[in-house]
Amino acid sequence: MDTKELSDDVKAAEGLLRAKESVLGGLRSVIIGQDHVVEELLIALFSRGHCLLEGVPGLAKTLMISSLARLLDLKFSRIQFTPDLMPSDVTGTEVLHEDPQSRQRSFRFLPGPIFANMVLADEINRTPPKTQSAVLEAMQEYQVTSAGATRPLPLPFFVMATQNPIEQEGTYPLPEAQLDRFFLQISVDYPSSDEERRIVTETTGSKEVKLSHLLGGAEVLALQELVRRVPAPASSVDYAVRLARSTRPNEAGAREDVRKWVAWGAGPRASQALIIGAKARALLSGRFAICVDDIRALAKPVLRHRLVLNFQAEAEGVKADALIDRLLQE
């Protein structure tokens, strides 16, 4: 990279930092608290990754995502996943169309709600695997295959799925292959006491907040490319790889608790996510180089959904986050 290219990238990074502050300011006018959730959403967005948000009902997950879409001036669609949802309800279907002039009939493809820049898959674990798999190709390949034809999705493309951790009756847990496609699994917690008072006060009045567009699709794509150009020192790459490999029970030198509680550890996609996410976090923090602290900060959202704990861990009440804490301490 020559001096001019480096200078351009630094200016673009400064623009990203300003955009982040503007987005945070806009979201804070709608969402109270949950700053870490918003930051992780932005990290995933600029890393070109998808998110799985997990939290009990009423924590403004849907409002947060739809507000972010309005701030970014991107086409937004919401899919409410239900047990009777069919794959064609997500991807689209072909209908018979008759030309009013010539009376000739032909099939025409009607795009489904997956053809948007930001797609909210609400309660994705409430639909059967057949429909869940329709989202899998879109997340991985940025395209949809329907009626034998492959159709590209608009870019940028970002899937944000939600699931409820407390109601498991009538749900279909996401298979490990699909969980691995999610860049981050973000845990949405209850607000603090002061935050909840503000929520109640501000949402029970007549105040109406209007959000203005801050970034367009072309700008988001440019910033995603900028993230990829952030240098990653060999020591940081080595740390990310060692951290991901330390979750595998069959790895040489694996910890005893990993062998005891983990059925399957994180794969190479976790190492990639740690580095790309660290690059985005560094830029959003005003730095053009990553450090080990960036990787450690993203360890839980990157790894928690990629660890498959065994029955013994479930019986002993061991959670993935607690195990990741142990690995980070080492």
Side-chain angles (χ1 to χ4, degrees):
M1 181 183 296
D2 60 30
T3 305
K4 185 179 183 303
E5 289 177 337
L6 181 59
S7 177
D8 291 342
D9 283 352
V10 170
K11 289 180 181 178
E14 292 171 352
L16 175 59
L17 189 59
R18 290 192 297 271
K20 171 201 172 184
E21 295 303 323
S22 299
V23 170
L24 286 178
L27 287 176
R28 283 172 182 150
S29 66
V30 179
I31 306 296
I32 296 171
Q34 307 292 3
D35 283 354
H36 81 282
V37 177
V38 174
E39 182 183 9
E40 289 173 5
L41 273 175
L42 292 177
I43 288 172
L45 172 67
F46 294 119
S47 299
R48 205 182 298 155
H50 311 289
C51 281
L52 177 63
L53 284 81
E54 186 172 89
V56 299
L59 297 183
K61 298 186 295 294
T62 301
L63 176 62
M64 191 183 310
I65 293 168
S66 60
S67 300
L68 179 61
R70 281 184 287 165
L71 286 169
L72 296 178
D73 192 19
L74 299 176
K75 184 180 179 183
F76 172 75
S77 69
R78 175 181 177 179
I79 308 172
Q80 187 65 50
F81 281 78
T82 56
D84 60 346
L85 195 72
M86 298 298 292
S88 58
D89 297 328
V90 175
T91 60
T93 187
E94 287 198 336
V95 296
L96 188 62
H97 173 71
E98 182 178 284
D99 187 278
Q101 303 296 328
S102 64
R103 293 297 188 186
Q104 290 185 344
R105 295 182 177 181
S106 60
F107 283 100
R108 185 174 66 180
F109 180 74
L110 292 182
I114 198 73
F115 285 85
N117 299 116
M118 300 184 75
V119 179
L120 170 58
D122 220 353
E123 295 192 280
I124 191 172
N125 58 334
R126 292 208 172 274
T127 200
K130 182 179 181 180
T131 306
Q132 290 178 6
S133 65
V135 186
L136 185 60
E137 180 188 11
M139 292 172 60
Q140 182 65 24
E141 306 294 338
Y142 298 97
Q143 64 184 26
V144 164
T145 302
S146 177
T150 300
R151 298 174 174 86
L153 293 168
L155 297 177
F157 179 71
F158 186 47
V159 173
M160 293 148 293
T162 67
Q163 63 179 10
N164 182 349
I166 58 176
E167 291 183 68
Q168 298 303 320
E169 292 186 8
T171 62
Y172 304 85
L174 293 173
E176 283 71 25
Q178 185 155 356
L179 279 173
D180 196 35
R181 261 64 175 191
F182 284 102
F183 188 79
L184 301 179
Q185 179 176 326
I186 302 173
S187 178
V188 186
D189 298 322
Y190 287 109
S192 67
S193 177
D194 290 339
E195 290 170 345
E196 192 161 353
R197 288 192 192 94
R198 284 186 57 203
I199 291 170
V200 173
T201 301
E202 296 186 15
T203 58
T204 54
S206 58
K207 179 183 177 183
E208 184 178 352
V209 178
K210 293 185 178 180
L211 299 177
S212 56
H213 300 320
L214 298 174
L215 289 176
E219 294 168 297
V220 172
L221 287 172
L223 292 172
Q224 288 177 341
E225 289 297 325
L226 175 64
V227 166
R228 300 282 173 146
R229 295 199 295 271
V230 173
S235 58
S236 296
V237 174
D238 181 62
Y239 183 83
V241 170
R242 285 190 291 113
L243 181 58
R245 295 180 72 88
S246 69
T247 65
R248 302 169 193 170
N250 296 327
E251 186 74 15
R255 287 169 52 101
E256 181 60 33
D257 48 7
V258 172
R259 295 180 185 273
K260 179 181 178 183
W261 291 323
V262 179
W264 298 98
R269 197 176 273 121
S271 306
Q272 295 172 329
L274 286 169
I275 291 298
I276 298 173
K279 292 182 177 186
R281 186 177 186 270
L283 279 182
L284 291 169
S285 301
R287 292 177 282 110
F288 201 67
I290 72 172
C291 62
V292 169
D293 286 342
D294 294 318
I295 297 172
R296 293 173 65 86
L298 291 171
K300 288 182 181 179
V302 167
L303 296 174
R304 62 165 60 107
H305 59 297
R306 292 182 166 96
L307 298 186
V308 182
L309 303 184
N310 57 26
F311 177 77
Q312 185 173 353
E314 185 176 351
E316 296 181 19
V318 176
K319 302 297 182 183
D321 281 13
L323 187 56
I324 295 169
D325 278 332
R326 294 186 178 208
L327 295 175
L328 291 174
Q329 288 173 6
E330 181 181 345

